[in-house]
Amino acid sequence: MSELLRELDEMPLSLLDTEAGDLHAALDGPTLFHLKGGREPALFICVLMHGNETSGWDAIRQVLRGCVVTEGLRLPRSLSLFVGNTAAAEQGVRHLPDQPDYNRVWPGSETHGTPEHELMKAVMDIMADREIFASIDLHNNTGLNPHYACVNVLEHQSLHLAALFGRTVVYFVRPRGVASMAMAALGPSVTLECGKVGQEHGVQHAADYLRACLHLSEIPAHAVASHDIDLYHTVAVVRVPPELPFAFGDEDGAIRFPRDLDRMNFRELPVGSLIAECHVEPAQALDVRDEQDRQVADQYFILEDGCLVTRVPVMPSMLSCSPEIIRQDCLCYLMERYNDHLADAG
Ligand SMILES: [Zn+2]
């Protein structure tokens, strides 16, 4: 058991009117709710792994409001809801300075030894004992991105769960220690990226999706048709080295990104696409790590006349124009089309 975790078998209905920023005052920390419904096993839902990504909480409380009856809540399927980093939500940040990223410390993480690692292990142990129908972890991002689902295993049921959210699906195995990767050991599992915080259609899309999942009697076990999804595989993560100053537009910086950098998300960039202006070789300007954690900047980028450009066709995702997110998380991920591999899923 983890000293950080609270576990509750009911939810006060007043919580459904509580904004993400007020959850810490109401709950006093990470809380796992088990709410009984018409079918077992429970659907497992994670919200607020990142404290500033509030669409998941807004979506699930909208769904639960629709389930309120005189005796309390009537759910079509049992629900285990994990409300994560309430302390960060109170401050409106991804995580507090003295906390690890909550979505990097689940079992399978490359790091260990913090109370938050124990917390996620405790949640997973509890859910392993109770069994799950499926697992859904809800997030927002900062750049211009479509709504999409991520899977961490190429397995039919997880791909069906992903396709139910939309036709764009991303398969990744790095970073490690994310909730959907850990929970994939227990059942079909996805991460949902619901666009930017504060966009009503992101909340609506997520709420419709969660409602549909709660009503599912089963998740198909046959293959997803290749024409039904656009599957991408994350092949590298791109970071700006911590010591290197960067800027956008014509501001001063050792590396200068175009102001509308995030317009390139989910676009297949031709060779020679401008990523940044700078005067150092790709490997000095960007830390690009492949799935084996090797520096591969020179495979993807080349310096030409003071410009860093792509040297192979790639598709970025999660490109952000937020300096804070770029420092705390990364600049972007690089992806390749992966539909050919759908036939390998089992
Ligand atoms: Zn997130």
Side-chain angles (χ1 to χ4, degrees):
M1 197 57 194
S2 152
E3 80 245 21
L4 288 180
L5 184 65
R6 284 134 194 84
E7 208 179 355
L8 296 172
D9 284 326
E10 52 190 31
M11 180 187 277
L13 292 181
S14 61
L15 211 61
L16 303 182
D17 298 317
T18 306
E19 300 293 327
D22 299 324
L23 282 172
H24 195 63
L27 297 173
D28 199 33
T31 304
L32 179 59
F33 292 97
H34 302 293
L35 307 177
K36 196 131 186 57
R39 288 196 181 99
E40 298 289 341
L43 180 66
F44 177 72
I45 295 177
C46 284
V47 297
L48 294 170
M49 288 303 103
H50 296 139
N52 56 339
E53 300 176 11
T54 53
S55 293
W57 169 245
D58 289 340
I60 188 62
R61 63 192 175 117
Q62 184 188 116
V63 172
L64 291 176
R65 263 190 229 121
C67 298
V68 173
V69 291
T70 32
E71 317 84 84
L73 288 166
R74 185 183 295 153
L75 296 168
R77 174 178 291 281
S78 290
L79 169 67
S80 288
L81 173 66
F82 181 41
V83 179
N85 200 339
T86 57
E90 187 172 55
Q91 304 294 322
V93 295
R94 184 179 175 92
H95 59 86
L96 298 180
D98 61 343
Q99 290 176 329
D101 186 321
Y102 269 35
N103 207 27
R104 301 289 182 273
V105 292
W106 287 76
S109 169
E110 283 162 327
T111 58
H112 56 88
T114 73
E116 287 80 3
H117 287 84
E118 289 303 309
L119 166 67
M120 303 319 172
K121 187 180 178 306
V123 170
M124 210 182 144
D125 287 348
I126 291 166
M127 295 318 301
D129 279 348
R130 299 177 72 107
E131 298 186 6
I132 61 166
F133 175 65
S135 169
I136 302 166
D137 179 21
L138 294 105
H139 289 257
N140 294 103
N141 46 48
T142 53
L144 285 174
N145 289 283
H147 294 172
Y148 61 95
C150 303
V151 297
N152 308 106
V153 288
L154 288 178
E155 169 270 320
H156 295 325
Q157 286 190 312
S158 290
L159 287 165
H160 272 287
L161 198 60
L164 201 59
F165 189 60
R167 61 174 296 124
T168 306
V169 179
V170 172
Y171 164 62
F172 74 90
V173 296
R174 268 177 192 275
R176 306 265 191 213
V178 304
S180 59
M181 201 177 297
M183 295 306 290
L186 305 184
S189 178
V190 293
T191 298
L192 303 187
E193 292 289 349
C194 308
K196 291 184 188 180
V197 175
Q199 290 177 332
E200 186 49 35
H201 71 284
V203 174
Q204 215 48 55
H205 186 189
D208 289 346
Y209 177 85
L210 296 178
R211 222 174 270 123
C213 288
L214 279 170
H215 279 99
L216 280 179
S217 56
E218 56 184 54
I219 300 169
H222 60 81
V224 175
S226 175
H227 59 255
D228 282 344
I229 62 172
D230 293 314
L231 181 65
Y232 302 103
H233 176 205
T234 299
V235 289
V237 53
V238 183
R239 295 188 181 84
V240 181
E243 66 284 1
L244 196 70
F246 67 88
F248 286 89
D250 45 18
E251 293 157 25
D252 275 349
I255 175 160
R256 296 197 321 218
F257 299 109
R259 250 182 231 293
D260 56 354
L261 186 69
D262 59 346
R263 288 196 179 277
M264 295 193 288
N265 281 330
F266 284 87
R267 282 173 50 184
E268 271 162 333
L269 303 181
V271 171
S273 299
L274 174 77
I275 296 296
E277 291 176 66
C278 72
H279 292 280
V280 291
E281 289 299 322
Q284 272 93 60
L286 296 174
D287 183 60
V288 186
R289 297 285 157 172
D290 71 4
E291 286 186 309
Q292 283 73 45
D293 204 32
R294 292 175 300 215
Q295 164 66 289
V296 289
D298 293 322
Q299 268 179 45
Y300 291 99
F301 303 108
I302 189 166
L303 185 66
E304 278 179 359
D305 302 325
C307 292
L308 212 56
V309 299
T310 55
R311 65 179 297 179
V312 290
V314 287
M315 182 181 295
S317 69
M318 296 265 240
L319 271 169
S320 168
C321 297
S322 155
E324 191 191 351
I325 292 295
I326 293 171
R327 286 290 181 216
Q328 272 199 346
D329 188 17
C330 65
L331 176 69
C332 70
Y333 296 92
L334 300 177
M335 307 186 298
E336 292 173 353
R337 229 173 224 286
Y338 216 56
N339 275 54
D340 293 353
H341 293 256
L342 274 177
D344 307 340

CSV table of all heavy atoms in Angstrom, one decimal, residues 50 53 94 103 138-140 193, ligand 1:
chain,number,residue,atom,x,y,z
A,50,HIS,N,-1.4,14.5,-15.2
A,50,HIS,CA,-0.8,15.8,-15.3
A,50,HIS,C,-1.7,16.8,-14.8
A,50,HIS,O,-2.9,16.9,-15.3
A,50,HIS,CB,-0.4,16.1,-16.8
A,50,HIS,CG,0.7,15.1,-17.3
A,50,HIS,ND1,0.7,14.6,-18.5
A,50,HIS,CD2,1.8,14.6,-16.6
A,50,HIS,CE1,1.7,13.8,-18.6
A,50,HIS,NE2,2.4,13.8,-17.5
A,53,GLU,N,-3.9,19.2,-17.0
A,53,GLU,CA,-4.6,18.6,-18.1
A,53,GLU,C,-6.0,18.2,-17.6
A,53,GLU,O,-6.2,17.1,-17.2
A,53,GLU,CB,-3.8,17.5,-18.7
A,53,GLU,CG,-2.5,18.0,-19.2
A,53,GLU,CD,-1.6,16.9,-19.8
A,53,GLU,OE1,-2.0,15.8,-20.0
A,53,GLU,OE2,-0.4,17.2,-20.0
A,94,ARG,N,1.8,20.8,-14.6
A,94,ARG,CA,1.9,19.4,-15.0
A,94,ARG,C,2.3,18.6,-13.7
A,94,ARG,O,1.7,17.6,-13.4
A,94,ARG,CB,3.0,19.3,-16.0
A,94,ARG,CG,3.3,17.9,-16.6
A,94,ARG,CD,4.4,18.1,-17.7
A,94,ARG,NE,4.7,16.8,-18.2
A,94,ARG,CZ,4.2,16.2,-19.3
A,94,ARG,NH1,3.2,16.8,-20.0
A,94,ARG,NH2,4.6,15.1,-19.8
A,103,ASN,N,3.1,10.5,-15.0
A,103,ASN,CA,3.0,9.5,-16.1
A,103,ASN,C,4.3,9.0,-16.6
A,103,ASN,O,4.5,8.6,-17.8
A,103,ASN,CB,2.2,10.1,-17.3
A,103,ASN,CG,1.5,9.1,-18.1
A,103,ASN,OD1,1.1,8.0,-17.5
A,103,ASN,ND2,1.2,9.3,-19.4
A,138,LEU,N,-6.6,9.8,-19.6
A,138,LEU,CA,-6.9,11.0,-20.5
A,138,LEU,C,-5.9,12.1,-20.2
A,138,LEU,O,-5.6,12.5,-19.1
A,138,LEU,CB,-8.3,11.5,-20.1
A,138,LEU,CG,-9.4,10.5,-20.5
A,138,LEU,CD1,-9.9,9.8,-19.3
A,138,LEU,CD2,-10.5,11.2,-21.3
A,139,HIS,N,-5.5,12.7,-21.4
A,139,HIS,CA,-4.5,13.8,-21.4
A,139,HIS,C,-5.0,15.0,-22.3
A,139,HIS,O,-5.8,14.8,-23.2
A,139,HIS,CB,-3.2,13.3,-21.8
A,139,HIS,CG,-2.5,12.4,-20.8
A,139,HIS,ND1,-1.5,12.9,-20.0
A,139,HIS,CD2,-2.8,11.1,-20.4
A,139,HIS,CE1,-1.2,11.9,-19.2
A,139,HIS,NE2,-1.9,10.8,-19.4
A,140,ASN,N,-4.3,16.1,-22.1
A,140,ASN,CA,-4.3,17.2,-23.1
A,140,ASN,C,-2.9,17.4,-23.6
A,140,ASN,O,-1.9,17.0,-22.9
A,140,ASN,CB,-4.8,18.5,-22.4
A,140,ASN,CG,-6.2,18.4,-22.0
A,140,ASN,OD1,-6.5,18.3,-20.8
A,140,ASN,ND2,-7.1,18.6,-22.9
A,193,GLU,N,-5.3,11.6,-26.2
A,193,GLU,CA,-4.9,13.0,-26.2
A,193,GLU,C,-6.1,13.8,-26.8
A,193,GLU,O,-6.5,13.7,-27.9
A,193,GLU,CB,-3.7,13.1,-27.2
A,193,GLU,CG,-2.4,12.5,-26.6
A,193,GLU,CD,-1.8,13.2,-25.5
A,193,GLU,OE1,-2.2,14.3,-25.1
A,193,GLU,OE2,-0.9,12.6,-24.8
B,1,ZN,ZN,-0.4,14.5,-20.2
